Amino acid sequence: MENYINSKNNNNFTESFLNLFNNLYNIIESMSMHQKLAYLHISGSFIILLSLFSILTIFYGDYLIIKLNLENKYPKLTKFIKLRRKFQQYYILLDVIISIIILLIIIYINIILYF
């Protein structure tokens, strides 16, 4: 990891990244089936938490923009705020879809293992 962070040129960076990826792959391959499933569940749960955090920041970010009256205080930010509000619904929809897909995958795997 230290070599990956401290790499200076692109060749060394690419090589370090590939080594890091291969090391992670080797660690996952050496796990038992139960450890792989636990890794999958933890990764899925982490992605769902990130999606929920993203949804919360969307709602509370808009709340703070309204509460602090940023559109009127900083007119140069108005274009950015309007663009943010325009894409806000897509971000929420994308986060909800990602969460639902991951939950369905986890439920499917658990059902397959149970029966």
Side-chain angles (χ1 to χ4, degrees), residues 60-113:
Y60 283 110
D62 200 42
Y63 171 76
L64 286 175
I65 289 171
I66 293 169
K67 189 74 172 175
L68 298 174
N69 199 15
L70 293 179
E71 286 182 274
N72 295 330
K73 287 183 181 178
Y74 304 104
K76 291 182 180 180
L77 288 178
T78 304
K79 289 181 183 178
F80 177 72
I81 292 171
K82 287 181 181 177
L83 184 65
R84 181 188 176 279
R85 285 189 179 140
K86 187 177 185 180
F87 287 105
Q88 184 173 333
Q89 294 172 351
Y90 300 115
Y91 295 146
I92 292 171
L93 182 63
L94 180 67
D95 288 334
V96 168
I97 289 172
I98 288 171
S99 297
I100 289 172
I101 289 172
I102 290 174
L103 284 172
L104 289 174
I105 289 170
I106 290 172
I107 289 170
Y108 176 75
I109 289 172
N110 286 333
I111 288 173
I112 293 296
L113 291 176

Side-chain angles (χ1 to χ4, degrees), residues 1-5 12-31 39:
M1 189 70 159
E2 192 173 303
N3 292 335
Y4 172 73
I5 292 172
N12 194 15
F13 177 78
T14 306
E15 191 175 302
S16 296
F17 181 75
L18 288 175
N19 285 337
L20 180 68
F21 184 76
N22 286 334
N23 289 340
L24 181 63
Y25 180 76
N26 290 335
I27 290 170
I28 292 173
E29 282 298 312
S30 67
M31 292 180 183
Y39 180 75

